[in-house]
């Protein structure tokens, strides 16, 4: 039976069928759904780790112990996990280890579009790339077999388009059975204790391993030639293969399921059979450079763009420019005059507790060093309240650096609860140790919101829905040596302001924990109660509109003195957080209690 | 088998992704090769949502190029205009007569296009566009959230797939207690454009 699965669902299914016993990840778009899909499957252990480095260590440990294992992360997650990635390449493993890495060409939800095939070559680790969900499913097992055959971790590299496209998949059965006795760890210090003396022994083995895998790649079934007209030969991989097949239906193809290492024998054979050799690949000229190193003439990024995603249209247009296709191949499009359309960027949700906190930081004219999460969106108008954001956990270190550089303005770090556990912890420790005059705001909304509300060490629940311990933020921060700690309700503007003023006035490191559940969590949803505006009182000053809540709209009613439109509340969207009601200078927005009283 | 390429657009929270799921599964059930592609993650936060669904004998690319869609199904008027570049003269354009003003409109910085200019822009591409009361129909049936299925009903009148196939997939894909409501929504949508 054919099933329609997203690439992420297919990877999860593939991991289960291939007998993965332990999997770990930190949520990150576009990879998040992989572990969410895998976690409820029978006979496996799956966890959210606090960050990708820990997740990879967990998977490595399981593989050292003889269980097939999987670590899942988005591309920038591998930066965090890079240290572990490199030692795992040196040691090898006792059972298969697949690192599922999701790159994000076009940066749909990321700060860069780094091409992680570079990591494969950097660490001498093979890299497999599926073109659709069926291959994504199969390649998990293929990666694990390869891992065991050559004693190496293997990267399964997918991209956003593979992760979030659904294509047909044939399902299979699980290969592994329940163990009757626990496996014994076989001690082998020369292989698994990476001191210099042992590492020097391992390095030549690793180099030899890559040569052997390159030989193996010549007959690897997922590297395949599809011969057509031989005037044009296209080397391609991943989703780019699907695009190229559509744009060049008659050309000859070498589709590479393994993008590192390449088989020189295979490439030479293909190049001999075609007149002109081109590479169609997303992002970096990775395959192109490898082919060029073999001394084979090839074109690629001189024709196709290096930035952003490819699609059939981009490939077709580039091919027309390079005389690979005739301009008559261009589809007819209609020239449309639309005028300027109002943009619709992602925004903080109605009732989002972050909105309230940033209203206060803006009022206090603070420089806010932000971090990765929904709250990054507060950089947008009308709030414009986040001023730096680089990567996970950067906020606190950057704020500390600004303080030590003695900038004129008052400066804070703002970091979400999940991001704080991810990489904020050591940076906060640093503010205590190095006597920083930094205030850190921990925006605790009890979830990893941006990626779709996953559990973490502060929520009391695990990925597999086990009740578990819950970090006490205040004790944790105090144990680091930070005495000045405030906890406030994010919705309470006065309390947030008071705590921030006090923390900022204090010399030395301080922490303000603003706590309120994400408005999308079920418990918060149950408390929704739309507010109402007393239109008689509204003077159309527009102050409430400055917080950028989608539930506040311009009314058709006009305030006669100024001719400006009054404000109304969309009852479908308003959650009743009362932030606008606290801001209104005319008390025109009714609080929950006032509405209840009227009933 | 005749290929059909669909672009579905809407605003986060409108059920665009559920509608594309149903559409993709209907194609699969009818015997097509199917691919569906959407980028989510930010969608929940009120942004534009675009979904590509392709039916054909054999589908390679999960993405549809500009000017190559056979159908544009828009759950919101502004989003219809924003993504009009996907269609060409012969395409069918079905637009829910429903506006969700972006924040910049609500705060008065931008203006939402009026109905006359919306019609004017749509008619630049095709005279055969359909501005249908999807949300109004759904509300009359008792739940505004079924407007996505009403729109699918309208779309189904252009396709050579038996209504029973649609009803089967809707029955499997929506939560049990909403099946009846959604089937009503689907049939109400069908009557908006003909049958």
């Amino acid at each position: 039976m054919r099933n329609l699965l997203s690439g992420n669902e297919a990877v999860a299914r593939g991991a289960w069928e291939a007998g993965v016993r332990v999997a770990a990840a930190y949520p990150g778009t576009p990879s998040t759904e992989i572990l969410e899909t895998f976690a409820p499957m029978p006979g496996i252990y799956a966890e959210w780790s606090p960050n990708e480095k820990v997740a990879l260590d967990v998977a490595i440990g399981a593989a050292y112990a003889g269980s097939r294992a999987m670590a899942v992360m988005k591309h920038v997650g591998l930066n965090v996990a890079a240290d572990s990635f490199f030692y795992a390449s040196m040691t090898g493993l006792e059972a298969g280890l697949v690192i599922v890495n999701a790159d994000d060409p076009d940066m749909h939800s990321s700060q860069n579009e780094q091409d992680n095939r570079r990591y494969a070559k950097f660490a001498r680790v093979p890299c497999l790339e599926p073109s659709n969900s069926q291959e994504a499913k199969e390649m998990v097992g293929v990666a694990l077999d390869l891992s065991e055959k050559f004693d190496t971790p293997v990267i399964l590299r997918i991209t956003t388009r593979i992760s979030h496209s659904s294509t047909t998949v044939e399902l299979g059965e699980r290969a592994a059975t329940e163990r009757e006795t626990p496996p014994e760890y076989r001690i082998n210090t020369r292989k698994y204790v990476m001191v210099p003396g042992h590492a020097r022994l391992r390095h030549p083995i690793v180099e030899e391993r890559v040569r052997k895998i390159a030989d193996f790649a010549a007959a690897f079934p997922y590297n395949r030639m599809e011969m057509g007209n031989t005037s044009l030969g296209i080397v391609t991989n991943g989703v780019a293969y699907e695009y190229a097949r559509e744009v060049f239906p008659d050309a000859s193809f070498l589709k590479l399921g393994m993008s590192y290492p390449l088989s020189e024998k295979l490439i030479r054979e293909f190049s001999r059979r075609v007149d002109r050799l081109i590479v169609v690949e997303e992002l970096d000229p990775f395959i192109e450079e490898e082919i060029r190193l073999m001394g084979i003439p090839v074109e690629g990024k001189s024709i196709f763009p290096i930035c952003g995603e490819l699609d059939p249209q981009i490939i077709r247009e580039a091919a027309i420019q390079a005389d690979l296709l005739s301009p008559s191949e261009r589809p007819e499009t209609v020239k449309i005059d639309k005028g300027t359309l109002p943009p619709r960027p992602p925004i903080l949700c109605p009732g989002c507790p972050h909105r309230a906190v940033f209203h206060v930081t803006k009022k206090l004219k603070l420089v806010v060093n932000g971090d990765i999460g929904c709250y990054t969106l507060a950089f947008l108008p009308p709030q414009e309240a986040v001023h730096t954001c680089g990567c996970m956990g950067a906020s606190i270190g950057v704020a500390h650096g600004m303080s030590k550089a003695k900038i004129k303005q008052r400066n804070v770090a703002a970091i979400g609860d999940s991001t704080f556990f991810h990489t904020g912890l050591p940076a906060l420790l640093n503010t205590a140790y190095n006597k920083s005059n930094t205030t850190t705001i921990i925006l605790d909304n009890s979830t990893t919101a941006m990626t779709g509300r996953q559990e973490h060490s502060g929520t009391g629940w695990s990925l597999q829905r086990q009740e578990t311990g819950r970090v006490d933020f205040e004790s944790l921060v105090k144990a680091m040596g930070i005495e000045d700690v405030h906890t406030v309700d994010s919705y309470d503007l006065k309390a947030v302001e008071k705590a921030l003023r006090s923390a900022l006035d204090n010399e030395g490191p301080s922490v303000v924990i603003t706590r309120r559940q994400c408005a999308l969590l079920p418990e918060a949803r149950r408390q929704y109660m739309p507010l109402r505006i007393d239109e008689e009182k509204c003077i159309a000053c527009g102050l409430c509109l400055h917080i950028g809540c989608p539930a506040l709209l311009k009314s058709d009613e006009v305030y006669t003195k100024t001719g400006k439109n009054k404000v109304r509340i969309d009852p479908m969207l308003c959650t009743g957080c009362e932030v606008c009601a606290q801001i209104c200078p005319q008390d025109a927005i009714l609080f929950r209690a006032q509405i209840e009283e009227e009933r | 088998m005749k290929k059909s390429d669909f672009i579905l657009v809407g605003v986060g929270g409108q059920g665009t992704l559920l509608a594309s799921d149903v559409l993709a599964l209907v194609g699969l059930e009818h015997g097509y090769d199917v691919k569906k592609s959407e980028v989510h993650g930010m969608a929940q936060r009120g942004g534009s949502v675009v979904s590509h669904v392709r039916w054909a004998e054999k589908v390679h690319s999960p993405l549809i190029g500009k000017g190559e869609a056979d159908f544009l199904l828009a759950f919101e008027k502004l989003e219809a205009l924003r993504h009009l570049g996907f269609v060409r003269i012969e395409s069918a354009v079905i637009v829910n007569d429903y506006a969700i003003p972006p924040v910049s409109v609500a705060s008065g910085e931008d203006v939402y296009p009026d109905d006359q200019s919306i019609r004017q822009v749509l008619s630049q591409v095709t005279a055969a566009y359909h501005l249908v009361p999807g949300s109004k129909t759904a509300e009359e049936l008792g739940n505004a959230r079924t407007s996505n299925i009403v729109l699918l009903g309208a779309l189904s009148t252009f396709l050579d797939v038996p209504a029973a196939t649609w009803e089967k997939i809707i029955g499997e894909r929506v939560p049990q207690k909403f099946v009846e409501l959604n089937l009503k929504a689907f049939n109400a949508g069908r009557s908006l454009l003909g049958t």
Side-chain angles (χ1 to χ4, degrees), chain A residues 60 64 84-97 99 119-127 143-155 190-192 194 198-199 201-218 258 260-263:
Chain A
I60 291 169
Y64 278 179
S84 303
F85 177 60
F86 277 79
Y87 82 71
S89 170
M90 290 289 273
T91 64
L93 313 127
E94 298 294 307
L97 171 65
I99 297 157
Y119 267 120
K121 187 176 183 185
F122 199 1
R124 316 292 193 266
V125 164
C127 180
L144 290 162
D145 291 344
L146 208 63
S147 170
E148 286 164 3
K149 184 175 165 74
F150 292 99
D151 192 17
T152 176
V154 176
I155 291 184
R190 278 160 77 94
K191 191 162 184 281
Y192 293 114
M194 268 310 97
H198 294 167
L201 299 174
R202 293 294 302 170
H203 189 189
I205 296 172
V206 168
E207 297 298 337
E208 180 57 23
R209 183 179 76 200
V210 175
R211 279 190 290 276
K212 282 184 185 157
I213 300 171
D215 289 346
F216 171 85
M258 193 188 299
Y260 181 83
L262 295 190
S263 158

Side-chain angles (χ1 to χ4, degrees), chain B residues 5-188:
Chain B
D5 288 334
F6 308 88
I7 295 284
L8 287 80
V9 300
V11 176
Q14 278 198 294
T16 311
L17 301 185
L18 173 71
S20 3
D21 267 2
V22 170
L23 181 59
L25 291 169
V26 164
L28 192 70
E29 180 78 17
H30 197 62
Y32 285 103
D33 185 22
V34 169
K35 285 191 180 177
K36 178 191 74 151
S37 189
E38 61 223 1
V39 170
H40 35 88
M42 308 281 265
Q44 209 147 26
R45 271 140 285 271
S48 301
V49 183
V50 188
S51 185
H52 300 230
V53 178
R54 309 192 67 188
W55 298 358
E57 185 95 33
K58 167 78 189 161
V59 182
H60 278 292
S61 167
L63 290 177
I64 300 162
K66 295 270 152 60
E68 295 185 340
D70 303 296
F71 299 94
L72 173 67
L73 190 65
F75 299 97
E76 202 272 347
K77 290 189 278 191
L78 181 58
E79 296 312 310
L81 300 196
R82 203 188 304 285
H83 298 101
L84 211 49
F86 279 109
V87 301
R88 58 179 184 281
I89 305 276
E90 313 88 87
S91 312
V93 176
I94 304 166
V95 183
N96 185 15
D97 190 357
Y98 186 65
I100 302 178
V103 172
S104 61
V105 170
S107 64
E109 287 156 55
D110 287 318
V111 178
Y112 196 97
D114 59 34
D115 273 4
Q116 197 192 339
S117 52
I118 288 171
R119 287 179 182 281
Q120 192 270 328
V121 176
L122 290 174
S123 62
Q124 288 175 35
V125 182
T126 168
Y129 67 85
H130 307 271
L131 200 57
V132 299
S135 292
K136 190 164 158 267
T137 306
E139 264 170 54
E140 283 166 5
L141 288 171
N143 192 334
R145 300 186 69 88
T146 59
S147 59
N148 55 351
I149 303 295
V150 174
L151 267 280
L152 277 185
L155 172 69
S156 73
T157 61
F158 292 87
L159 297 163
D160 195 17
V161 174
T165 307
W166 290 88
E167 288 169 354
K168 174 172 182 274
I169 299 296
I170 291 168
E172 287 167 5
R173 189 58 189 76
V174 307
Q176 194 54 46
K177 58 178 174 176
F178 295 121
V179 169
E180 202 179 321
L181 182 67
N182 277 287
L183 291 179
K184 269 191 202 157
F186 176 74
N187 285 303

Side-chain angles (χ1 to χ4, degrees), chain A residues 117-231:
Chain A
R117 293 177 297 176
R118 302 277 187 202
Y119 267 120
K121 187 176 183 185
F122 199 1
R124 316 292 193 266
V125 164
C127 180
L128 305 186
E129 298 194 57
S131 297
N132 52 50
S133 298
Q134 178 68 39
E135 285 189 355
K137 192 204 80 164
E138 292 172 14
M139 279 188 180
V140 182
V142 172
L144 290 162
D145 291 344
L146 208 63
S147 170
E148 286 164 3
K149 184 175 165 74
F150 292 99
D151 192 17
T152 176
V154 176
I155 291 184
L156 178 67
R157 176 184 181 256
I158 51 180
T159 56
T160 302
R161 195 55 65 185
I162 295 290
S163 285
H164 289 172
S165 292
S166 297
T167 75
T168 55
V169 176
E170 296 280 350
L171 303 186
E173 294 302 314
R174 178 162 164 93
T177 48
E178 287 294 316
R179 283 192 178 112
E180 284 171 17
T181 51
E184 187 178 339
Y185 176 63
R186 286 186 298 179
I187 291 171
N188 182 352
T189 47
R190 278 160 77 94
K191 191 162 184 281
Y192 293 114
V193 179
M194 268 310 97
V195 292
H198 294 167
R200 281 182 206 114
L201 299 174
R202 293 294 302 170
H203 189 189
I205 296 172
V206 168
E207 297 298 337
E208 180 57 23
R209 183 179 76 200
V210 175
R211 279 190 290 276
K212 282 184 185 157
I213 300 171
D215 289 346
F216 171 85
F220 182 57
Y222 292 87
N223 290 339
R224 66 169 189 264
M225 281 191 221
E226 295 169 0
M227 298 310 291
N229 184 326
T230 54
S231 60

Side-chain angles (χ1 to χ4, degrees), chain A residues 373-584:
Chain A
C374 296
Y375 46 96
T376 317
L377 295 172
F379 87 92
L380 287 165
Q383 287 204 298
E384 297 175 312
V386 167
H387 310 110
T388 69
C389 170
C391 73
M392 292 289 287
S395 59
I396 303 174
V398 170
H400 171 63
M402 283 195 184
S403 293
K404 290 296 179 191
K406 300 195 186 307
I407 60 163
K408 193 169 131 195
Q409 303 102 311
R410 291 187 295 178
N411 147 51
V412 297
I415 185 167
D417 43 351
S418 190
T419 309
F420 175 63
F421 294 129
H422 181 278
T423 30
L425 278 168
L428 187 64
L429 189 64
N430 186 50
T431 68
Y433 173 57
N434 283 311
K435 298 185 180 301
S436 183
N437 188 20
T438 306
T439 296
T440 298
I441 304 171
I442 300 175
L443 302 151
D444 178 13
N445 64 355
S446 301
T447 191
T448 315
M450 190 58 154
T451 42
R453 299 179 301 284
Q454 289 75 31
E455 307 293 347
H456 61 63
S457 336
T459 67
W461 291 92
S462 75
L463 169 61
Q464 290 184 306
R465 299 304 302 160
Q466 301 283 315
E467 211 164 348
T468 179
R470 181 180 191 142
V471 173
D472 178 348
F473 285 76
E474 290 79 357
S475 310
L476 177 68
V477 170
K478 283 186 177 160
M480 288 182 178
I482 300 174
E483 293 301 324
D484 191 19
V485 184
H486 311 255
T487 302
V488 290
D489 177 354
S490 313
Y491 283 165
D492 187 341
L493 296 180
K494 280 193 182 133
V496 173
E497 183 173 339
K498 190 172 163 232
L500 268 175
R501 282 186 186 278
S502 159
L504 287 160
D505 288 347
N506 169 42
E507 282 291 318
S510 53
V511 170
V512 176
I513 300 161
T514 59
R515 181 166 291 146
R516 175 60 80 153
Q517 275 202 348
C518 168
L520 298 181
L521 289 175
E523 202 186 312
R525 282 177 193 269
R526 281 194 287 275
Q527 291 163 31
Y528 283 1
M529 176 179 167
L531 304 184
R532 199 156 50 71
I533 292 187
D534 183 342
E535 287 208 0
E536 297 289 297
K537 287 188 179 171
C538 177
I539 58 162
C541 68
L543 274 184
C544 56
L545 296 175
H546 291 175
I547 58 172
C549 178
L552 294 169
L553 307 168
K554 288 228 154 174
S555 160
D556 294 335
E557 289 272 321
V558 172
Y559 182 56
T560 43
K561 276 193 191 163
T562 58
K564 287 186 175 168
N565 292 74
K566 295 184 176 185
V567 175
R568 68 185 172 89
I569 288 178
D570 184 340
M572 290 288 285
L573 294 176
C574 179
T575 68
C577 73
E578 299 181 328
V579 170
C580 57
Q582 294 171 71
I583 291 166
C584 180

